Amino acid sequence: MSVFFWWYLAAVNLAALSACLADKRAAVKGRWRISERALLTLCALGGGPGFYLGMHWFHHKTRHRKFTWGVPALCLLWLAGMAAWLWLGRT
């Protein structure tokens, strides 16, 4: 896997973690929130692990099934995709 790919994953996970924190702070202060669609899109783009950490560190979105099941499922899909990419690349 290229260095660009690892930098991409690091950036998208940092963005997802930051979005989780920003949305939690906005929720506490009663301000404008980040849409659930935007948060889940970040997870689908590869930021699932970062968002999952944020969910537990900041106690955010932990009661919503869409997130408690969806974020780990997206992480597993990414892991499966990366494993398939590595496996297919070696044959």
Side-chain angles (χ1 to χ4, degrees), residues 36-70:
E36 289 185 351
R37 175 178 277 172
L39 296 173
L40 287 171
T41 299
L42 276 172
C43 295
L45 292 173
F51 193 84
Y52 188 77
L53 284 175
M55 282 175 59
H56 292 283
W57 285 351
F58 311 130
H59 305 286
H60 189 53
K61 299 287 187 188
T62 55
R63 294 184 183 180
H64 300 269
R65 280 192 188 166
K66 188 185 296 187
F67 288 91
T68 57
W69 288 91

Side-chain angles (χ1 to χ4, degrees), residues 22-36:
D23 194 49
K24 175 64 176 187
R25 286 184 175 169
V28 169
K29 294 181 180 183
R31 293 185 180 166
W32 173 84
R33 306 278 303 277
I34 299 172
S35 71
E36 289 185 351

Side-chain angles (χ1 to χ4, degrees), residues 2-32:
S2 72
V3 174
F4 171 76
F5 178 75
W6 294 112
W7 279 107
Y8 167 77
L9 278 183
V12 76
N13 276 282
L14 183 60
L17 181 68
S18 299
C20 186
L21 177 59
D23 194 49
K24 175 64 176 187
R25 286 184 175 169
V28 169
K29 294 181 180 183
R31 293 185 180 166
W32 173 84

